[in-house]
């Protein structure tokens, strides 16, 4: 998606525009496309995908907005004071923010669509409000002198990287959460959309209707986004989720994709070419399989990650990120579809927690469901062990993300979490995990070298698909018998049978293990002598012990190392900018 920065007079500011004109001139000198939205508000944009505007009543939507096929406006009460804005989010989906101007053309309010695919960060600058998806190098001089690093938020990001999709790691600018509106005159925030509100208001349907609803949602999302842009590429990993996206894109827009692209790893667990070939033969598409970029972790690689107002956690594999961006540019690609997000929303894995969710919904009646025996068989467990876990008060599945052993004990307790994770303790454990996966998905929209080359779109994280999955119970999404059971049923006529029945997944652990082990000479001083260690957030003795070949082979922890190194890079990039004020 293209990026933007807009500036306008505050609602209470006098109609004097010298500061506004000065910033506008700076944006033009930096080479950005600048358009006036009113005499008191302008927008600069850059990047591979133009930031379009559409007016809907009093709101101007910036980005890419599509009309819903079946807008669920029925769930909004006519007596709700925010009924207009909530219905707007029900009628339009895509990647956009909204802004409302007052009668003099000054900025009055902002909102951000539920997908969170386009960031919305705002701050005051004298008589102006500045709103941006990011701050490009040519406009870094606009950083106000009052901005500071927020150590508490940096610590929270280290212990919970998903939290970086919420509040920023800086004091001064404010990130507007997805599905939220802010009135700028008083700073009041209003929640327009939350994941748990969708599932709490859902009406039960049978399995046939559920499968049709899911199929229609994916069709709507993929059809819309694949039909935009000039040159399309589709990633095909060899798994079920990317297969669903690829089959759907080929169904609605045959011949439109210029590239069907796969990167295979150097070992058997990371080489998905047999599954890619199987899908390509079934769909009649020409798959392009290339070796995944390899190389060493260097200081230059760590220092040139595409950090912006947020850390570039979507670009942890910098070598692959740079290689994919180069390939997109060479092929003239301006839009890329991925299958990311499907695991969390369609429910992978279907562990014993699925039965705990069913027990949470039905109580003792869950014992009569075929899911009890089916899930016990799928997980190779006894039915008695599933019942015991279901009856245990507040049972939760083992966290997929164990503690980061590089870190010192938290200074603050409790660590702040994303707002979507608050107030959901009454839900079943796997429904909570589904919402956590949605929060994780927000981070996939972050800055990468690929997003500078093309619009990277994740249709399975779009609002139509998200709402379809949230509205269905976990037992239905798994059909009470296996991971992503409903998705397999919904798209059984589009995918090869062997792919539908596949139990394994591609695995990159060994690949990243070798890459990190070969880069220890760079990573050890980067973390042991860096900013995070100076802030007391790194456990230096533990990190020194962990960053050895022997420890890596025994303990792993590759993702933790990559995330910690990336956040270290973000802090290093921002400290000089802030200290120069």
């Amino acid at each position: 998606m293209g990026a933007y920065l807009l500036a306008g007079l505050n609602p209470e500011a006098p109609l004097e525009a010298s500061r506004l004109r000065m910033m506008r001139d700076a944006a033009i000198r930096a080479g950005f496309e600048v358009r006036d939205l009113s005499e008191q508000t302008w927008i600069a944009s850059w990047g591979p995908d133009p930031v379009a505007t559409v007016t809907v009543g009093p709101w101007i939507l910036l980005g890419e907005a599509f009309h819903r096929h079946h807008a669920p406006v029925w769930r909004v009460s006519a007596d709700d004071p925010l009924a207009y804005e909530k219905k707007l989010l029900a009628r339009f989906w895509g990647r956009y923010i909204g802004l409302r101007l007052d009668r003099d053309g000054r900025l009055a309010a902002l909102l951000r669509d539920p997908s969170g695919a386009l960031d919305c960060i705002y701050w005051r600058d004298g008589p102006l409000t500045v709103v941006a998806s990011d701050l490009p190098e040519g406009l870094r001089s606009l950083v106000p002198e009052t901005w500071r690093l927020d150590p508490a938020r940096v610590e929270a990001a280290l212990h919970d990287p998903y939290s970086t999709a919420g509040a920023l790691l800086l004091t001064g600018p404010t990130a507007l959460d997805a599905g939220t509106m802010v009135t700028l005159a008083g700073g009041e925030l209003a929640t327009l959309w939350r994941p748990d509100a969708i599932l709490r208001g859902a009406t039960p349907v049978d399995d046939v209707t559920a499968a049709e609803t899911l199929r229609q949602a994916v069709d709507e999302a993929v059809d819309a986004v694949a039909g935009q842009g000039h040159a399309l590429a589709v990633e095909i990993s060899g798994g079920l989720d990317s297969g669903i996206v690829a089959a759907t894109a080929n169904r609605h827009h045959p011949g439109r994709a210029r590239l069907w692209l796969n990167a295979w790893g150097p070992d058997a667990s990371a080489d998905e070419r047999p599954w890619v070939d199987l899908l390509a033969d079934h769909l009649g598409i020409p798959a392009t399989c290339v070796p995944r970029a390899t190389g060493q972790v260097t200081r230059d690689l760590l220092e040139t990650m595409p950090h912006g107002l947020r850390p570039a956690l979507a670009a942890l594999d910098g070598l692959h990120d740079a290689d994919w961006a180069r390939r997109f540019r060479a092929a003239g690609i301006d839009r890329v579809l991925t299958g990311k997000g499907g695991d969390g929303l369609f429910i992978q894995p279907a562990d014993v927690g699925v039965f705990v969710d069913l027990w949470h919904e039905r109580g003792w009646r869950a014992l009569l469901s075929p899911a009890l025996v089916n899930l016990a068989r799928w997980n190779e467990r006894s039915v008695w062990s599933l019942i015991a876990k279901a009856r245990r008060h507040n049972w939760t599945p083992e966290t997929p993300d164990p503690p980061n052993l590089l870190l010192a004990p938290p200074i603050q307790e409790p660590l702040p979490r994303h707002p979507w994770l608050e107030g959901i303790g009454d839900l079943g454990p796997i429904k909570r995990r589904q919402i956590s996966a949605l929060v994780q998905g927000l981070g996939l929209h972050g800055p990468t070298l690929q997003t500078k080359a093309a619009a990277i779109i994740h249709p399975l994280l779009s609002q139509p698909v998200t709402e379809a999955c949230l509205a269905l119970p976990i037992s239905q999404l798994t059909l009470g018998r296996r991971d992503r059971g409903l998705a397999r049923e919904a798209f059984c006529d589009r995918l090869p049978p062997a792919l539908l029945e596949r139990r394994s997944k591609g695995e990159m652990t060994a690949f990243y293990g070798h890459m990190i082990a070969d880069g220890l000479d760079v990573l050890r001083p980067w973390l042991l002598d860096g900013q995070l260690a100076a802030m007391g957030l790194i456990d230096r003795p533990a990190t020194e012990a962990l960053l050895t070949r022997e420890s890596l082979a025994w303990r792993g922890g590759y993702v933790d190392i990559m995330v910690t190194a990336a956040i270290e890079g973000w802090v290093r990039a921002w400290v000089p900018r802030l200290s120069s004020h």
Side-chain angles (χ1 to χ4, degrees), residues 226-354:
Q228 306 298 309
H230 300 289
L232 178 69
V234 181
E235 287 188 355
I236 41 176
S237 69
L240 176 70
D241 304 327
S242 68
I244 289 172
V245 172
T248 305
N250 191 55
R251 181 186 185 91
H252 288 281
H253 298 280
R256 179 163 173 71
R258 188 175 295 182
L259 274 179
W260 304 88
L261 197 57
N262 168 264
W264 52 273
D267 56 89
S269 62
D271 188 350
E272 295 280 272
R273 282 178 292 177
W275 295 101
V276 171
D277 291 342
L278 178 70
L279 177 68
D281 289 344
H282 186 80
L283 299 180
I285 59 176
T288 301
C289 296
V290 299
R292 197 173 185 93
T294 58
Q296 288 192 329
V297 177
T298 64
R299 188 180 179 94
D300 180 66
L301 184 69
L302 295 172
E303 289 178 338
T304 56
M305 288 187 71
H307 297 301
L309 290 169
R310 299 185 190 271
L313 299 188
L316 292 180
D317 186 346
L319 296 169
H320 174 68
D321 187 34
D323 180 53
W324 240 222
R326 179 186 60 79
R327 291 181 186 276
F328 294 155
R329 287 194 175 96
I333 298 298
D334 61 3
R335 178 164 293 230
V336 182
L337 306 189
T338 85
K340 292 177 180 176
D343 276 0
L345 286 171
F346 296 160
I347 308 304
Q348 156 72 26
D351 56 23
V352 296
V354 173

Side-chain angles (χ1 to χ4, degrees), residues 54-73:
V54 59
T55 300
V56 181
W59 289 91
I60 301 173
L61 306 185
L62 306 178
E64 189 171 75
F66 303 102
H67 284 273
R68 289 288 290 269
H69 289 178
H70 305 286
V73 293

